[in-house]
Amino acid sequence: MLEKHKDDRKSPGAWRATKDGFGNGTPTSSFFPKDHPFPFLTRKFLQWTFYLLLPFIVFRFYFYPSPPPSPLAIPLSSLPLNSSPSSSSSFPPQLPEEEGILSKETACDYTQGKWVPDQMGPLYNGTTCGTIKDGQNCMSHGRPDLGFLYWRWQPQECQLPRFDPNEFLQFFADRHIAFVGDSMARNQLESLVCMLSSVSPPNLVYKNGGDDNKFRRWHFASHNASVSIYWSPFLVKGVEKSKNGPDHNELYLDRIDERWGKDLDGIDTIVLSIGHWFLHPAVYLEDGKVLGCHYCPGLNHTEIGFYDVLRKAVRTTLNTISDRRGDGIDVILTTFSPSHFEGDWDKFGACPKTEPYGEGEKLLEGMDADMRKIEVEEVESARLGIGGNQKKVRLEALDVTRLSLMRPDGHPGPYMYPFPFANGVGERVQNDCVHWCLPGPVDTWNQILLQVIKRLRRQ
């Protein structure tokens, strides 16, 4: 009916008849030529028809004053938000709700929400992207359940736009974004490079750090954009435990790690990520003096835990960046990513779940909540500390702790190795329930990262 109505309006003759015949409430002479053979009978017929219909009209409007619903009044909630992807485009058209997000500074709280099924799936897979670290390439390693790839994060009060690699590259045309931190920073970095490589081939222009490739840089020639990773598990200067050295780490809490600090002038956006390495045995130093340690039996040092140490490390890092780059830089701290071990790390089924937790099924508490709290608080404190320079040094927390907590299904588990059960289930099966499969939930971090960068650029 709606399409017929539209077609009728396109007909000049129909439009003229509607306008001329009923515009004044009575028929005009355009319908009755002068040479009409029975003008008197015609007028009488119209009068009788009018008197005949009048009671029905009065009855209709008296008992049913509201007009019947129009096809245009269908509520938007009853229409599908998405259609299946077509072969001509990898991205659905942007929704009006999504456009609204981009026009408001505080329009969306991405921390609160739920994981919902999604038919779109990832932008890449284990064979189309060569950047994936071997231990996180779950698809190529034979993980049989691929349902974990078909979920998306749905914030409570807004839409989270899908990641647009072209848009991200446009933001970093002639710019350099660097990821600095531990293996979670590398996990996020490799996810981003894979997503960007779906539209533009990256060129690895620098590599150092042995088999783990701890220091790398890619160049996307299409936009003259650079993406780097710097291994720095404490952000501050640290000496990592080794086979030939002490069996604990040493952290110098009053100075940053210059392996990335020396390149700070050439970085436009820096994404920081630390946490898990602070759980390891360590001795902490400040101003050349030992402050204490964490789990250091046999050493004559005071046990001080690691929470205050994490706070000091983040504070030193953010303050140093602000001092050195007062001319302008975006600083984003990715919050703590929880692990999901349900049993011994070397036993079958350490992280066996194949679906996300539902709402209320898993609470953010304990160490996960404490680590996140420290990082969020330090970002806010640093933002207040720079005062009027916030337009040049822009700081933001990429708060992914809760949404990551709800994805116990997203880890490699035993598939950190290729086809671990090809010869049956062994007595000892090493599991990775800390890092994330690629593709996997960590892609959502970069989905939100793009929105955070948009907001920072508007400030």
Side-chain angles (χ1 to χ4, degrees):
M1 292 294 293
L2 183 60
E3 288 303 314
K4 184 177 185 303
H5 177 65
K6 287 181 179 178
D7 291 340
D8 290 344
R9 291 187 61 179
K10 291 178 183 177
S11 169
W15 173 252
R16 181 177 55 81
T18 302
K19 183 178 179 181
D20 295 342
F22 300 97
N24 297 318
T26 58
T28 66
S29 60
S30 62
F31 281 88
F32 303 97
K34 292 180 179 180
D35 58 349
H36 194 283
F38 304 107
F40 174 76
L41 290 178
T42 302
R43 284 196 297 271
K44 283 292 183 182
F45 175 76
L46 287 176
Q47 290 176 0
W48 294 338
T49 303
F50 174 75
Y51 290 128
L52 203 64
L53 292 176
L54 182 61
F56 294 98
I57 295 173
V58 172
F59 178 83
R60 165 68 180 82
F61 283 98
Y62 184 82
F63 289 100
Y64 301 97
S66 299
S70 162
L72 295 177
I74 298 174
L76 292 176
S77 59
S78 67
L79 300 175
L81 289 178
N82 236 331
S83 58
S84 21
S86 66
S87 58
S88 62
S89 175
S90 300
F91 309 100
Q94 191 177 55
L95 300 176
E97 293 88 351
E98 296 173 0
E99 294 172 355
I101 292 171
L102 306 185
S103 63
K104 300 179 182 178
E105 291 294 332
T106 56
C108 189
D109 176 9
Y110 296 115
T111 64
Q112 300 297 319
K114 61 183 179 180
W115 290 96
V116 297
D118 179 38
Q119 295 182 357
M120 289 288 287
L123 290 171
Y124 64 97
N125 59 46
T127 58
T128 61
C129 181
T131 309
I132 303 174
K133 180 178 171 62
D134 196 46
Q136 279 105 56
N137 200 336
C138 304
M139 297 174 71
S140 294
H141 284 185
R143 178 170 172 171
D145 61 304
L146 299 182
F148 73 97
L149 298 173
Y150 296 93
W151 297 86
R152 65 177 175 85
W153 180 248
Q154 174 60 62
Q156 282 184 355
E157 299 178 354
C158 54
Q159 294 288 335
L160 173 60
R162 295 188 183 276
F163 184 85
D164 185 340
N166 281 306
E167 186 179 28
F168 193 98
L169 286 170
Q170 289 168 8
F171 269 104
F172 284 95
D174 304 318
R175 292 173 180 261
H176 178 200
I177 179 172
F179 290 76
V180 179
D182 55 17
S183 55
M184 303 311 297
R186 181 174 60 201
N187 212 176
Q188 184 179 0
L189 169 280
E190 291 176 348
S191 161
L192 177 64
V193 172
C194 286
M195 295 168 85
L196 297 179
S197 66
S198 66
V199 297
S200 178
N203 181 29
L204 183 62
V205 296
Y206 178 79
K207 179 173 69 172
N208 193 9
D211 295 337
D212 286 336
N213 295 323
K214 294 180 176 179
F215 303 89
R216 287 174 289 170
R217 180 174 298 181
W218 291 264
H219 181 249
F220 290 85
S222 60
H223 295 75
N224 191 30
S226 295
V227 182
S228 298
I229 178 67
Y230 292 83
W231 171 259
S232 184
F234 313 110
L235 298 181
V236 295
K237 179 182 177 181
V239 178
E240 298 172 29
K241 63 180 181 178
S242 65
K243 295 178 180 178
N244 302 323
D247 60 354
H248 60 267
N249 301 311
E250 292 182 357
L251 278 66
Y252 297 81
L253 300 175
D254 53 350
R255 66 193 76 170
I256 64 168
D257 182 355
E258 289 299 335
R259 292 180 297 179
W260 62 268
K262 62 182 176 58
D263 292 342
L264 197 53
D265 286 343
I267 298 173
D268 299 290
T269 298
I270 186 167
V271 182
L272 309 168
S273 181
I274 55 170
H276 287 278
W277 274 68
F278 285 80
L279 310 182
H280 298 172
V283 174
Y284 311 122
L285 300 96
E286 190 173 32
D287 295 327
K289 300 177 182 178
V290 174
L291 291 179
C293 70
H294 170 58
Y295 193 70
C296 55
L299 298 178
N300 189 23
H301 300 314
T302 305
E303 170 68 45
I304 61 174
F306 56 82
Y307 286 129
D308 287 340
V309 172
L310 173 66
R311 187 180 294 277
K312 282 179 176 288
V314 174
R315 185 174 299 175
T316 295
T317 299
L318 297 180
N319 288 343
T320 302
I321 294 174
S322 299
D323 291 342
R324 293 191 186 182
R325 287 299 311 272
D327 58 327
I329 190 172
D330 292 337
V331 185
I332 299 168
L333 176 61
T334 303
T335 59
F336 187 72
S337 174
S339 62
H340 291 93
F341 288 100
E342 295 186 10
D344 295 333
W345 66 274
D346 60 350
K347 297 294 183 182
F348 176 72
C351 42
K353 286 187 167 54
T354 57
E355 289 189 354
Y357 286 121
E359 288 186 275
E361 190 177 352
K362 185 71 172 179
L363 299 178
L364 177 58
E365 56 189 359
M367 185 194 71
D368 297 334
D370 292 338
M371 300 286 271
R372 172 201 168 273
K373 182 173 182 286
I374 290 170
E375 293 169 335
V376 171
E377 287 177 349
E378 287 304 310
V379 169
E380 182 60 27
S381 176
R383 185 188 290 121
L384 295 174
I386 61 177
N389 206 29
Q390 290 185 25
K391 290 187 177 180
K392 291 187 175 181
V393 181
R394 296 168 292 199
L395 299 104
E396 189 77 28
L398 181 61
D399 193 350
V400 299
T401 304
R402 183 175 179 275
L403 67 87
S404 300
L405 177 70
M406 297 173 68
R407 289 306 303 271
D409 58 322
H411 301 288
Y415 296 95
M416 62 184 295
Y417 296 113
F419 303 96
F421 306 119
N423 299 318
V425 179
E427 183 179 348
R428 299 175 69 85
V429 181
Q430 187 174 352
N431 291 268
D432 182 355
C433 303
V434 177
H435 303 96
W436 301 97
C437 290
L438 292 177
V442 68
D443 295 334
T444 301
W445 300 7
N446 292 317
Q447 197 177 350
I448 300 174
L449 174 64
L450 176 55
Q451 303 308 311
V452 170
I453 290 169
K454 287 181 180 181
R455 185 166 65 246
L456 290 178
R457 295 285 177 87
R458 289 196 302 268
Q459 289 180 4

